[in-house]
Amino acid sequence: MTAKSTPAGGTAVVRAFFWLPRSARAGALILVVLVIVTLLAPLIAPHDPNAIDPTHVLAAPDLGHPFGADALGRDVFSRTVYALRTSLAIVFASVAVASLAALPLGTAAGYFGGWVDQVISRPLDMLLVLPALLLAITLIAIVGPGSIVAALAIALIYLPILARVQRAASLVVAHAGFVEGGRARGWSSLAVLRRHVVPNALGPLLVQAAILAGFAVQIEASLSFLGLGTQPPTPSLGLMLSEGRDVLTQAPWVEIFPGLAIAVIVLAFNLLGDGLRHRLDPQGMAS
Amino acid sequence: MTALLDVRGLVVTFPAPGSGLRRKRVHALSGVDLSLQRGHTHGLVGESGSGKSTLARCVLGLQRPDDGSVVFDGTEIVGLRGSALRDIRRRIQPVFQDPLGSLDPRWTVGRSVRESLDAFGVGSPADRERRVRELLDLVGLSPDHADRHPVQLSGGQRQRVGIAAALASGPDLIVADEPVSALDVSVQAQILNLMARLQRDLGVAFLFVSHDLSVVEHVSSEVSVMYLGKIVETADRADLFADPVHPYTRALLDAVPIPEPDARLVHVPLSGDIPSPIDPPSGCRFHPRCPLRVDSCSREHPVLTPVGTLDSAGHTPHRVACPVVLPARP
Amino acid sequence: MLQINDVRVRIPVAGGRWVEAVDGVTLAVGSGEIVGLVGESGCGKSTLGGAVMGLLPGGAQLSGQVLLDGRDLGGLTAEEYRRVRGNDIALVSQDPSASLDPTFAVGAQVAEAIRNHRDIGRREARERAVELLRAVGIPDPGARYSDPPHRFSGGMKQRVVIAAALANDPSVLIADEPTTALDVTIQAQILHLLRDLTVRTGTGVLMITHDLGVVAQVCDRIAVMYAGQVVEQGTVRDVFADPLHPYTRALLDSQPAAHHRSGDLPVILGQVPDLTDPPAGCRFAARCARVHDRCTTAPPVVETRGGGRVACWLHDALPPVAQEVS
Ligand SMILES: Nc1ncnc2c1ncn2[C@@H]1O[C@H](COP(=O)(O)OP(=O)(O)OP(=O)(O)O)[C@@H](O)[C@H]1O
Ligand SMILES: Nc1ncnc2c1ncn2[C@@H]1O[C@H](COP(=O)(O)OP(=O)(O)O)[C@@H](O)[C@H]1O
Ligand code: SF4
Ligand code: SF4
Ligand SMILES: [Mg+2]
Ligand SMILES: [Mg+2]
């Protein structure tokens, strides 16, 4: 099944950290640093991210503006810090929503099988075959653009993928002797799900979620880039990329720094996902 | 004396794998009768796919039969739900084949052993801990084992844990599905001895499922032989092994490789493959492989019929489902 | 014929340590002879089979000699070994499904086993494959030739695997638990088939099994392995009639069939020692009913009746075997 030694107890976080393979620790560390940066954004950012400064239009990086300034003279460093905040929030929210929905759906489909599986899996399979961006754009066309809608759109793209992974993992666990044993020992099906199936089937879902989180940054960026995600003037990494593209030749820093930030996030999630896969999904159920 | 367990006319089918609108069905059990006395061990033998595990799961209330009844100590358990089912489960406990797969890898041994105590809310947490230690001692493990995880135990130790967990709720009947099949002979002997001791000391009855005839011969008081979803012969242990009547039982006994070089088998006892339970043969299910078959065998369904008379102790009479061999006997 | 001389295999495990899975095994399999290799799980039976097949896990170290028809397999390159495998030595393992490609016709897989090693035409290979399928008892082999494996039962698949293994008339067949996954009536058929084929073709078989019944039924000689070492070997008749090593005796005694009437079965307490750190002296000492002071040093291998051998201090008065190791 899953891990031989899984973290539990008081110093769980520290133990969980050292239980990860080395490369995954690097990924986790980067993410922790990024989250702290976004939490402390008001302290870290030297300028108001939206403050327009005509005297600094497309200014090159210097001490006052370490990442330079954009077409409106706004401080790229401060905007990147705040954009990180928006983007990470969208990433975490979308993956969390999708995982929380996928967990009960996939578990029920895998454990009960039969018509329960049909009722759950068929519609999700249909979602899966639709092109991801089309799905997102349709949703946004109905509800209107914005950060929350972008997060929901990403969650909708991810739900069938995560549910499928959770279904496969639950299916395997459902046939383990200890699951039948749990029922024979006097527990109800629901209690057996909670006590045996979910804890043992969770690994691949976590792995898949971490891997998808990396892609979520890119989807968020694409949506914002297309003007369908976060709305200006709120900074998001995708939005900054699209603004930077127009001035790429004169002021590459407007484009480079948010681009780098995206690359770092993707890298961190991939490192984490790979490491988790090592520990939690040795059979490689997550794609 | 009424039987502790009385199974009558049990029928179980499953949808056959594959798709299609009118799916065929796997006939796992096709009218099975079996009874088990308090404190006895009833051995159930048969080749893979004969329906042994399905029968075991019906008795445990884990599989709802299409038809038939399972009466445990006077209570019909087919169709029981909720608290009534829970009350019965307390008294019928399973031991499974794969000792690793039957223990949650994330749980400590103590928690696995405690599982039914927790389910039925027996005593205080401290009482349960004490009981876990008693149970571990009973199956020959030390109290330290309570804090270990299954991967840290040997196969034999894991099966001891499985038995301790089954004993926790104080069952009258343990349904053991191939409990020693995954173990080395040396370890197998330890587990068989343990089960025999528990039966002597606690009076618990066993429904003992195995494909290994020598193991069944060693542990059972009564034995039933299954073939493709039906019981073809049932008898006291001694009768069955000394005087097998059904042609399949005979072939099965002949096929067991006995560890005596002087008793080498000179012919293949049974040719052909076990037919699929999706389209079982008509009439007697054994007829395509039976050396004694006659024309009527492919049409008539043999029923279990007593051979000889009931013995004085009122034990299960020797019964055989084969009209062809029966008339020839006194 | 196969001659294994003082073979040792070490397999690297975590923490820079080594499992000494096989430790100084000397064993021969003659032409047309079936030798049973028995012992508890983890005693090194499959590893020894792997050493002969040239299929050891990565990083494993092999020493000693493996001679096949007088040729030392130790010095072969990977490519040379590939040519020996399936031609001079072949393997039949426990799970026939894992040995067959699920997407190819069974007949084609047998024909391919032939064409891999011989320069013959498709047609001829097909004819020979059909013949082999008939020889292993597949009914109507011409028609079943193009069936995929999933149309075959477990016993039939094992027959196909045996057909492929015998395709090139190997000198030796390594059969690692060939019937463990099969039902008894099917097992009896396969054992008969193996017995029959060895008599007809002169192929020698090293039959790895945990079932002493199987050994008694089909083997000519038996080798008992414990913790990486062969502790006793001899003809099946001699060893079953009068097991000399306490481990052999204990194994035979713990068979339920040997004790028809109820009553406790004799058991072997404890378990096979951890082979990363095998005990000094006799490796069976911790579980031996007849352990005594001399057992803290390794017992000598001595010669018994009928060319057998045993390694136990209870028999040190017997003549020692000459060291035939280079
Ligand atoms: N790839 C491997 N890596 C590490 N240790 C190994 C490996 N293969 C085998 N071993 C170890 O070598 C020893 C012998 O194993 P082997 O599989 O040969 O035993 P066996 O006698 O065939 O057992 P079984 O009856 O269970 O098949 C064991 O201690 C085993 O754990
Ligand atoms: N849950 C299930 N779904 C479909 N078929 C099943 C299921 N359980 C058992 N079967 C089938 O029923 C038959 C009897 O199986 P089983 O009771 O496991 O036999 P045994 O324990 O004697 O090997 C087999 O053909 C098996 O494939
Ligand atoms: S009824 Fe006929 S086919 Fe069936 S066992 Fe008897 S003789 Fe054989
Ligand atoms: S050498 Fe000693 S310990 Fe080893 S088997 Fe013989 S008597 Fe037992
Ligand atoms: Mg079964
Ligand atoms: Mg092996």
Side-chain angles (χ1 to χ4, degrees):
Chain A
M1 260 4 40
T2 56
K4 293 188 174 108
S5 51
T6 321
T11 49
V13 175
V14 177
R15 273 202 274 156
F17 181 75
F18 284 102
W19 162 88
L20 284 171
R22 203 164 293 230
S23 61
R25 286 184 213 164
L29 264 187
I30 296 174
L31 286 175
V32 168
V33 169
L34 289 180
V35 168
I36 292 174
V37 165
T38 61
L39 289 179
L40 300 182
L43 300 179
I44 291 173
H47 303 271
D48 176 343
N50 293 328
I52 297 171
D53 179 358
T55 62
H56 275 86
V57 169
L58 297 182
D62 60 26
L63 276 180
H65 298 277
F67 288 1
D70 70 5
L72 296 177
R74 297 175 296 195
D75 179 39
V76 174
F77 179 69
S78 305
R79 282 185 71 73
T80 306
V81 169
Y82 276 91
L84 214 51
R85 188 186 235 191
T86 321
S87 297
L88 278 181
I90 292 176
V91 168
F92 282 123
S94 61
V95 173
V97 167
S99 304
L100 286 178
L103 182 67
L105 289 174
T107 307
Y111 179 72
F112 293 107
W115 65 267
V116 178
D117 185 18
Q118 299 286 324
V119 167
I120 295 173
S121 296
R122 283 288 148 83
L124 288 178
D125 283 348
M126 274 159 56
L127 271 186
L128 200 56
V129 297
L130 292 178
L133 267 182
L134 183 69
L135 202 65
I137 292 170
T138 313
L139 184 74
I140 291 160
I142 298 169
V143 190
S147 302
I148 293 176
V149 183
L152 284 178
I154 298 172
L156 192 65
I157 296 169
Y158 282 178
L159 171 64
I161 304 174
L162 290 169
R164 175 176 275 209
V165 168
Q166 179 64 15
R167 175 180 173 279
S170 305
L171 195 65
V172 171
V173 178
H175 289 282
F178 58 83
V179 171
E180 287 235 305
R183 280 212 289 147
R185 306 258 188 260
W187 292 94
S188 66
S189 287
L190 269 181
V192 169
L193 278 177
R194 179 172 48 79
R195 292 161 58 86
H196 289 297
V197 180
V198 170
N200 280 293
L202 205 53
L205 180 75
L206 289 178
V207 173
Q208 187 73 65
I211 294 168
L212 289 183
F215 289 111
V217 185
Q218 288 163 296
I219 302 181
E220 185 279 326
S222 321
L223 289 177
S224 302
F225 191 89
L226 295 174
L228 299 172
T230 310
Q231 294 303 298
T234 314
S236 97
L237 293 174
L239 219 48
M240 290 181 71
L241 275 191
S242 99
E243 291 160 359
R245 198 188 48 168
D246 302 335
V247 295
L248 188 59
T249 44
Q250 305 126 281
W253 47 88
V254 184
E255 178 91 353
I256 285 171
F257 289 106
L260 263 180
I262 290 177
V264 169
I265 296 174
V266 171
L267 176 75
F269 275 117
N270 276 335
L271 284 175
L272 184 65
D274 258 8
L276 283 176
R277 184 203 299 280
H278 236 75
R279 288 281 189 268
L280 294 176
D281 184 25
Q283 293 117 328
M285 277 188 209
S287 55
Chain B
M1 184 163 82
T2 61
L4 176 65
L5 176 72
D6 208 4
V7 175
R8 288 282 161 249
L10 216 54
V11 175
V12 176
T13 63
F14 299 104
S19 49
L21 270 182
R22 298 196 59 203
R23 284 237 216 133
K24 295 194 165 180
R25 301 195 68 86
V26 179
H27 298 265
L29 294 179
S30 309
V32 164
D33 301 343
L34 178 141
S35 73
L36 169 59
Q37 307 296 326
R38 209 171 275 279
H40 281 219
T41 297
H42 196 121
L44 193 59
V45 288
E47 297 180 89
S48 65
S50 57
K52 306 180 297 294
S53 300
T54 306
L55 178 52
R57 297 182 68 250
C58 289
V59 172
L60 285 163
L62 294 171
Q63 170 71 48
R64 193 172 291 258
D66 303 8
D67 195 11
S69 80
V70 177
V71 176
F72 176 77
D73 203 13
T75 310
E76 172 63 64
I77 66 173
V78 171
L80 278 191
R81 296 175 153 276
S83 66
L85 181 59
R86 267 166 46 101
D87 285 345
I88 287 289
R89 284 201 163 139
R90 210 172 158 152
R91 302 181 52 201
I92 312 180
Q93 284 286 301
V95 172
F96 295 104
Q97 166 171 5
D98 171 14
L100 186 57
S102 58
L103 298 174
D104 191 320
R106 307 171 64 91
W107 286 16
T108 61
V109 162
R111 190 169 175 202
S112 285
V113 172
R114 217 176 54 214
E115 187 167 22
S116 64
L117 301 177
D118 290 342
F120 300 118
V122 180
S124 69
D127 291 340
R128 289 180 214 165
E129 280 313 314
R130 205 170 317 118
R131 180 87 182 113
V132 165
R133 269 142 236 269
E134 278 169 24
L135 286 161
L136 289 177
D137 186 53
L138 193 62
V139 298
L141 293 172
S142 82
D144 305 343
H145 286 112
D147 304 319
R148 302 232 197 133
H149 283 269
V151 285
Q152 295 167 291
L153 302 180
S154 71
Q157 290 174 325
R158 283 178 207 139
Q159 199 55 296
R160 286 172 194 271
V161 174
I163 293 172
L167 288 173
S169 62
D172 301 307
L173 170 62
I174 288 184
V175 177
D177 191 355
E178 308 265 10
V180 296
S181 304
L183 306 175
D184 268 324
V185 271
S186 55
V187 182
Q188 172 178 307
Q190 298 172 16
I191 299 295
L192 293 177
N193 289 346
L194 170 66
M195 291 173 70
R197 199 189 81 218
L198 294 171
Q199 183 159 66
R200 275 199 307 276
D201 297 352
L202 308 175
V204 48
F206 284 96
L207 178 61
F208 191 102
V209 177
S210 177
H211 68 274
D212 187 333
L213 283 136
S214 18
V215 167
V216 164
E217 178 174 17
H218 182 76
V219 300
S220 309
S221 26
E222 292 86 32
V223 178
S224 291
V225 180
M226 287 192 81
Y227 187 77
L228 272 182
K230 289 189 180 263
I231 290 183
V232 297
E233 182 161 6
T234 179
D236 278 1
R237 188 264 317 266
D239 279 355
L240 189 108
F241 284 92
D243 186 18
V245 175
H246 196 279
Y248 176 65
T249 312
R250 290 167 164 242
L252 196 61
L253 286 176
D254 274 352
V256 179
I258 45 174
E260 287 162 24
D262 291 330
R264 283 209 185 185
L265 203 59
V266 283
H267 65 285
V268 174
L270 210 54
S271 56
D273 265 323
I274 304 166
S276 153
I278 295 177
D279 267 317
S282 61
C284 173
R285 293 198 167 169
F286 186 54
H287 85 258
R289 300 172 83 194
C290 182
L292 300 183
R293 85 174 152 258
V294 296
D295 283 350
S296 60
C297 293
S298 59
R299 297 189 305 269
E300 280 157 30
H301 294 267
V303 288
L304 277 175
T305 313
V307 192
T309 49
L310 245 162
D311 74 10
S312 52
H315 282 157
T316 336
H318 194 150
R319 294 190 300 157
V320 178
C322 171
V324 176
V325 294
L326 275 179
R329 301 179 60 84
Chain C
M1 103 146 211
L2 176 71
Q3 175 71 50
I4 299 167
N5 283 335
D6 197 33
V7 161
R8 285 163 210 277
V9 179
R10 305 202 304 158
I11 304 168
V13 289
R17 302 196 309 158
W18 298 83
V19 181
E20 294 180 12
V22 176
D23 187 48
V25 167
T26 297
L27 190 69
V29 180
S31 144
E33 184 184 46
I34 307 187
V35 177
L37 184 62
V38 298
E40 286 164 277
S41 205
C43 278
K45 307 184 294 294
S46 300
T47 307
L48 183 63
V52 174
M53 292 297 298
L55 294 172
L56 286 172
Q61 291 180 355
L62 171 72
S63 70
Q65 265 185 330
V66 178
L67 299 173
L68 187 69
D69 299 322
R71 173 176 176 207
D72 191 346
L73 300 185
L76 297 189
T77 65
E79 176 54 28
E80 285 165 335
Y81 226 124
R82 199 193 62 75
R83 250 177 281 140
V84 167
R85 256 196 312 268
N87 198 27
D88 305 310
I89 38 172
L91 179 71
V92 173
S93 52
Q94 175 172 340
D95 180 8
S97 310
S99 312
L100 294 171
D101 186 328
T103 59
F104 276 95
V106 291
Q109 299 190 45
V110 177
E112 176 160 302
I114 304 170
R115 278 164 57 87
N116 271 342
H117 293 277
R118 278 194 225 169
D119 192 19
I120 60 171
R122 250 168 224 292
R123 225 202 145 99
E124 207 181 326
R126 185 188 169 110
E127 275 161 22
R128 168 121 175 92
V130 170
E131 209 177 290
L132 280 162
L133 289 176
R134 179 170 296 121
V136 296
I138 304 281
D140 199 3
R144 303 300 307 263
Y145 184 94
S146 4
D147 275 351
H150 72 81
R151 298 255 178 89
F152 283 57
S153 66
M156 301 256 275
K157 275 185 240 172
Q158 196 62 299
R159 286 174 192 267
V160 173
V161 172
I162 292 173
L166 294 177
N168 299 303
D169 295 320
S171 316
V172 175
L173 189 68
I174 309 285
D176 193 347
E177 312 254 7
T179 57
T180 303
L182 306 176
D183 280 312
V184 273
T185 59
I186 310 300
Q187 161 168 289
Q189 296 169 5
I190 298 289
L191 292 179
H192 252 267
L193 173 68
L194 278 174
R195 177 86 257 178
D196 222 48
L197 290 170
T198 48
V199 171
R200 283 219 307 268
T201 62
T203 299
V205 180
L206 182 63
M207 169 96 83
I208 300 174
T209 176
H210 63 268
D211 187 340
L212 290 165
V214 168
V215 175
Q217 290 298 315
V218 298
C219 296
D220 303 298
R221 289 195 303 116
I222 176 175
V224 180
M225 232 178 142
Y226 184 76
Q229 302 171 331
V230 170
V231 294
E232 178 164 9
Q233 54 179 299
T235 67
V236 165
R237 219 164 262 280
D238 287 343
V239 173
F240 276 69
D242 181 21
L244 295 180
H245 197 282
Y247 180 62
T248 314
R249 172 159 297 263
L251 271 187
L252 281 167
D253 282 349
S254 54
Q255 298 275 318
H259 300 263
H260 292 178
R261 303 281 73 87
S262 302
D264 275 3
L265 293 164
V267 301
I268 318 174
L269 292 172
Q271 29 189 309
V272 180
D274 178 5
L275 294 182
T276 53
D277 185 19
C282 173
R283 293 194 171 175
F284 188 55
R287 305 171 75 189
C288 182
R290 309 196 49 188
V291 60
H292 55 288
D293 49 359
R294 286 180 300 173
C295 306
T296 49
T297 39
V301 183
V302 297
E303 190 129 353
T304 66
R305 69 280 189 249
R309 291 156 185 231
V310 66
C312 167
W313 281 114
L314 299 173
H315 305 286
D316 66 326
L318 293 168
V321 294
Q323 286 283 308
E324 66 263 71
V325 191
S326 50

